[in-house]
Amino acid sequence: METKMHMKEWLIAQIESGKYAGLSWENEEKTMFRIPWKHAAKKDYSQTADAALFKAWAVYKGKYREGRDKADPTMWKTRLRCALNKSTDFEEVPERNQLDITEPYKVYRVSSSGEPPRPAEPEAESRARKSPENPVAPVKQESTSSGEELKEINETLMKEHMYCGSSALTLPKQLPAPPTFFRAGLASSDFRLQVVLLYHGQQVLKVTTKSPDGCFILQGQVPLGNERIYGPCSAQLICFPSPAAVSLPSHLAEAMSRLLCHLERGVLLWMAPEGLFIKRFCQGRVYWSGPLARNTDQPNKLEREKTFKLFDVNTFFTELQSYLRGKGSKPSIEVELCFGEEFPDPKLPKNRKLIVAQVGAKEGGVAESGYPSEGGKPRLENSY
């Protein structure tokens, strides 16, 4: 009977074999390695090439039988990720990860044989180092129990659907405090946003936020008890509805489901005195259009972990004043986000994009018309 290798031996053998594109040593000492991590939602994704290593692990563990079981690249990837996360032989090195490039990859450190467990970190330091893809609690070696493995996979998927991560949670506290006005004579006491989600051109959700710290638009929900570990988050959560919320052809519903898997942690939007801002946390790509967008006929991409201004208040009011005097065109306030697909896209209208979000200020934000209402003051609300 053939003796099975432990995961560490098996994975090192795969690295040394050179069979898998992108699977390689990160340093000469061979203490860290790169593992390819391409999103299934990417246009150039190839199951044969990009899921090859994950499939090999599933086959090796007896979780997939060629020709008998249905191919499931997402589950293959999840199984290997779970195994890496719970093994004491490996530790992810997040600062070396490159997940937003043409050929994305993660980096893991290999522990030395017989190396004792790392000492426990102080709570604050540990909280800053851990991410949704790294379990908070220490984990044990692989279990042979399929029931236990399934439970661990489900727990990992749950963690991946959290919006939290130290950077995301502390960010709202670092934002400018909401003022009580935009400028003299334009009273405003709240910064509510109105968010409309469209699936393939069909409206599936319309929400007016209530938090002054803005909102997350994301996939998944916060697990119960999460606040005890990470602390409360004051930004409102807006979760993507299930693809079943609209009637779609099966191939589009399947593509949307794959896309949603990469939108964990989502994007954070908020209003500040200067205008509307956004920060992308999800691995899935996000594109946008709006008054400040560089391009109107080609894609505008939001880089990960960077803050972008989508709308400028001062510019709007300057252009609005000119328009009301009969000079210039009516200023635009339309801001749209497109998840997973390039946007704007002159070859494909937005009503054929899988997921689009229309975002604007409600009251206390900026009006589309800007014309006076009650009391002779501008009516500051969006028309979405």
Side-chain angles (χ1 to χ4, degrees):
M1 182 176 177
E2 183 182 355
T3 303
K4 287 276 189 179
M5 291 184 287
H6 290 294
M7 184 185 186
K8 180 178 178 180
E9 299 172 283
W10 181 87
L11 195 47
I12 289 177
Q14 308 315 305
I15 300 171
E16 297 286 359
S17 73
K19 287 168 52 179
Y20 304 97
L23 181 66
S24 61
W25 291 110
E26 172 76 356
N27 57 0
E28 293 182 1
E29 297 78 15
K30 295 186 177 182
T31 57
M32 292 187 287
F33 64 92
R34 295 181 181 184
I35 182 169
W37 213 264
K38 183 174 288 188
H39 308 153
K42 293 188 70 171
K43 291 182 179 179
D44 61 344
Y45 179 85
S46 166
Q47 179 177 309
T48 303
D50 298 317
L53 178 66
F54 308 123
K55 176 183 177 181
W57 175 247
V59 170
Y60 183 74
K61 296 297 291 180
K63 303 300 182 182
Y64 176 71
R65 298 164 295 178
E66 190 78 57
R68 298 179 62 182
D69 297 330
K70 182 180 178 181
D72 190 346
T74 301
M75 182 55 73
W76 297 340
K77 189 176 186 180
T78 299
R79 286 189 185 280
L80 183 57
R81 174 167 42 202
C82 286
L84 285 166
N85 283 347
K86 70 183 181 177
S87 173
T88 57
D89 289 326
F90 302 99
E91 180 188 17
E92 186 178 351
V93 189
E95 61 271 19
R96 286 180 175 261
N97 291 347
Q98 293 291 334
L99 298 173
D100 197 27
I101 59 177
T102 305
E103 298 298 331
Y105 60 85
K106 286 191 173 188
V107 175
Y108 283 85
R109 180 180 288 109
V110 184
S111 68
S112 302
S113 179
E115 182 180 293
R118 294 175 175 239
E121 297 173 313
E123 183 180 356
E125 183 179 346
S126 175
R127 196 177 291 173
R129 282 171 51 85
K130 300 298 179 182
S131 71
E133 291 189 353
N134 292 323
V136 174
V139 287
K140 299 180 180 180
Q141 291 281 5
E142 287 184 61
S143 167
T144 56
S145 165
S146 59
E148 237 179 272
E149 181 184 37
L150 183 59
K151 179 182 177 183
E152 288 167 354
I153 287 175
N154 288 336
E155 288 175 350
T156 297
L157 289 173
M158 178 79 90
K159 286 185 174 75
E160 288 168 358
H161 286 169
M162 294 192 296
Y163 67 88
C164 342
S166 58
S167 58
L169 284 172
T170 57
L171 181 63
K173 296 179 183 178
Q174 299 168 356
L175 303 181
T180 57
F181 59 92
F182 274 122
R183 56 172 57 183
L186 299 176
S188 172
S189 59
D190 75 69
F191 286 78
R192 291 184 291 168
L193 295 172
Q194 186 161 280
V195 178
V196 177
L197 294 181
L198 305 171
Y199 284 1
H200 210 242
Q202 303 176 59
Q203 182 175 313
V204 293
L205 188 69
K206 184 175 183 179
V207 177
T208 298
T209 65
K210 299 178 181 178
S211 171
D213 285 330
C215 67
F216 278 100
I217 304 177
L218 76 171
Q219 165 67 356
Q221 297 180 353
V222 182
L224 294 176
N226 185 64
E227 293 83 358
R228 178 177 56 82
I229 301 173
Y230 291 98
C233 176
S234 55
Q236 185 170 337
L237 305 184
I238 299 177
C239 298
F240 290 105
S242 164
V246 293
S247 178
L248 294 173
S250 58
H251 70 284
L252 287 179
E254 183 178 347
M256 188 172 290
S257 295
R258 290 200 305 269
L259 173 57
L260 287 171
C261 289
H262 302 292
L263 300 182
E264 300 97 344
R265 301 182 71 203
V267 295
L268 173 63
L269 293 129
W270 71 96
M271 283 295 296
E274 300 85 3
L276 178 63
F277 293 82
I278 189 170
K279 190 167 186 179
R280 170 189 156 207
F281 293 97
C282 57
Q283 292 186 6
R285 296 185 179 187
V286 183
Y287 298 85
W288 72 289
S289 68
L292 301 185
R294 176 178 297 179
N295 306 310
T296 58
D297 58 352
Q298 56 183 309
N300 299 297
K301 182 183 174 185
L302 294 173
E303 298 298 332
R304 196 164 180 233
E305 302 284 356
K306 291 184 179 179
T307 298
F308 286 83
K309 180 188 276 191
L310 304 181
F311 181 85
D312 184 84
V313 171
N314 288 331
T315 299
F316 169 78
F317 280 115
T318 298
E319 294 178 352
L320 178 60
Q321 288 172 357
S322 295
Y323 170 70
L324 293 176
R325 294 191 192 103
K327 300 178 182 179
S329 58
K330 185 190 231 182
S332 171
I333 65 164
E334 186 173 88
V335 173
E336 293 181 300
L337 309 175
C338 185
F339 296 84
E341 298 176 278
E342 293 187 343
F343 183 78
D345 183 358
K347 298 179 181 178
L348 192 69
K350 65 184 178 185
N351 62 1
R352 293 182 60 189
K353 297 294 184 181
L354 289 177
I355 303 177
V356 170
Q358 297 176 334
V359 183
K362 186 60 177 171
E363 294 179 8
V366 183
E368 178 176 5
S369 64
Y371 290 108
S373 60
E374 296 81 13
K377 294 181 179 179
R379 182 178 62 236
L380 301 178
E381 60 181 32
N382 198 338
S383 65
Y384 282 135

